Amino acid sequence: MAKSRSSFGKDTGLQARMLLTLFLLGLVYVVFVGALIAAGAAAGVIVVVALGLLIVQLYSSDKIALATLGVKEVSPAQEPELHGIVERLCLQADLPKPRVCVMETPMPNAFAMGRSQKSASVTATRGILELLYSAELEGVIGHELTHVINRDVMVMTLASFFATLAALIAQFTLFFGGGFGGGYGRSNEEEEGIFFVLIVSVLVYAISFLLLRALSRYREFAADRGSAVLTGRPSALASALLKISGSMERVPSEDLRKAEGMSAFFILPARTKKSLMNIFADHPPLEQRLAALERLESQLQHAA
């Protein structure tokens, strides 16, 4: 018997972290707006622009992202296996069936988008459909549906808005501030105000960036756990992750660059090269995810 839609697959640890992240970001941005006003910025303009950007981000960001990536919705006749997996898992989780889409790229990957369960979409790339066996693909789709169940895509979208706004204000300040070179007719107080706004914007962006990365890493662990519970086969998801990771190196650089901006939403990041910046990665290390899935497999076998 399926659990209720309100409780199945929800990760309480993730829910708590999402609330904390939004609270901290909200607090940071109250201070941010106060700093902008103190520096002489018009409060009314700030509020109107911020609200306008927020509305666009919440209601249009997924549509813009899907269109940019060339994602197309597919019918059951076009992709019967993919639709069958989605329908079966949604029935088991008592979840509304999302739109089922395919991205025509050799890169093996998948992601979920949408601000709510009713407006969600699940996308699989052509590469992943050709790479994985049915059980492995089911594990991947279970992972993406867990994101929909937890509504963490909407929270990530909302949280990323704050970082985007801070970056825009910093760029706006640099562009119109003239690089603080003592613009013609500008007083010392105006120069100091511009410098203050820039410093605060950079700090807010940095704080938002770190909070987003921490939340993004945890939500991937939560989605892996949700898939393991939903499908009952953690080993299938582990096998899929290994195949995807091993195949990513053979994907043309052009395809990876096209998808890199959406990396946080993919089941595995759309890049393979390791660097010192990996400490700020939006996904946990693959080794840690595989170890967690192995522990889940052991627990399920002992419970059987």
Side-chain angles (χ1 to χ4, degrees), residues 6-270:
S6 61
S7 64
F8 187 95
K10 280 196 174 180
D11 187 292
T12 54
L14 178 60
Q15 301 295 316
R17 282 168 172 78
M18 289 192 299
L19 287 173
L20 179 61
T21 298
L22 290 178
F23 171 77
L24 291 175
L25 284 172
L27 188 62
V28 166
Y29 274 83
V30 168
V31 176
F32 185 31
V33 171
L36 292 178
I37 294 172
V45 173
I46 293 172
V47 171
V48 170
V49 171
L51 286 176
L53 289 174
L54 178 60
I55 291 171
V56 171
Q57 183 87 345
L58 280 177
Y59 288 89
S60 302
S61 60
D62 59 332
K63 298 179 181 65
I64 294 171
L66 294 175
T68 300
L69 293 172
V71 171
K72 302 293 184 183
E73 186 172 1
V74 292
S75 67
Q78 292 172 308
E79 296 293 340
E81 182 183 13
L82 181 58
H83 268 273
I85 289 173
V86 173
E87 288 175 359
R88 185 164 61 252
L89 293 178
C90 285
L91 182 63
Q92 187 173 336
D94 192 22
L95 184 71
K97 184 183 176 183
R99 290 181 294 125
V100 179
C101 306
V102 170
M103 179 179 169
E104 295 295 342
T105 172
M107 176 186 66
N109 233 314
F111 62 94
M113 293 293 289
R115 67 182 183 278
S116 68
Q117 294 181 356
K118 291 183 178 180
S119 64
S121 64
V122 171
T123 299
T125 66
R126 181 61 59 193
I128 205 171
L129 293 176
E130 295 175 350
L131 177 69
L132 302 183
Y133 293 119
S134 181
E136 295 167 336
L137 183 60
E138 187 176 77
V140 169
I141 298 302
H143 174 104
E144 299 308 330
L145 289 177
T146 301
H147 284 314
V148 176
I149 292 168
N150 284 316
R151 294 182 171 86
D152 57 51
V153 175
M154 184 273 289
V155 174
M156 284 289 291
T157 301
L158 183 61
S160 65
F161 160 75
F162 295 127
T164 302
L165 181 60
L168 285 174
I169 290 177
Q171 292 171 7
F172 183 86
T173 302
L174 278 174
F175 182 77
F176 288 99
F180 316 114
Y184 180 76
R186 187 181 297 149
S187 67
N188 288 336
E189 287 185 359
E190 289 174 328
E191 287 288 335
E192 290 174 358
I194 291 171
F195 183 73
F196 178 68
V197 169
L198 179 63
I199 293 299
V200 172
S201 298
V202 170
L203 286 174
V204 168
Y205 177 82
I207 293 171
S208 302
F209 177 87
L210 293 174
L211 288 172
L212 271 171
R213 288 303 182 269
L215 177 61
S216 181
R217 286 186 170 210
Y218 187 88
R219 83 184 193 109
E220 294 303 324
F221 280 125
D224 286 348
R225 286 193 297 270
S227 174
V229 172
L230 188 57
T231 65
R233 286 181 285 189
S235 59
L237 177 58
S239 175
L241 293 175
L242 279 171
K243 280 189 176 181
I244 296 168
S245 177
S247 301
M248 200 73 76
E249 296 178 359
R250 298 192 293 272
V251 176
S253 298
E254 182 180 348
D255 291 85
L256 292 177
R257 283 195 298 270
K258 180 180 179 182
E260 195 166 1
M262 282 283 295
S263 184
F265 293 93
F266 285 112
I267 191 168
L268 277 180

Side-chain angles (χ1 to χ4, degrees), residues 271-300:
R271 53 183 177 271
T272 57
K273 293 182 179 179
K274 294 184 178 180
S275 69
L276 291 175
M277 290 304 292
N278 280 357
I279 60 176
F280 300 118
D282 40 42
H283 287 66
L286 178 60
E287 295 78 11
Q288 293 182 14
R289 295 174 69 178
L290 294 176
L293 287 168
E294 186 177 351
R295 289 193 295 271
L296 283 169
E297 183 76 29
S298 178
Q299 291 171 9
L300 288 175

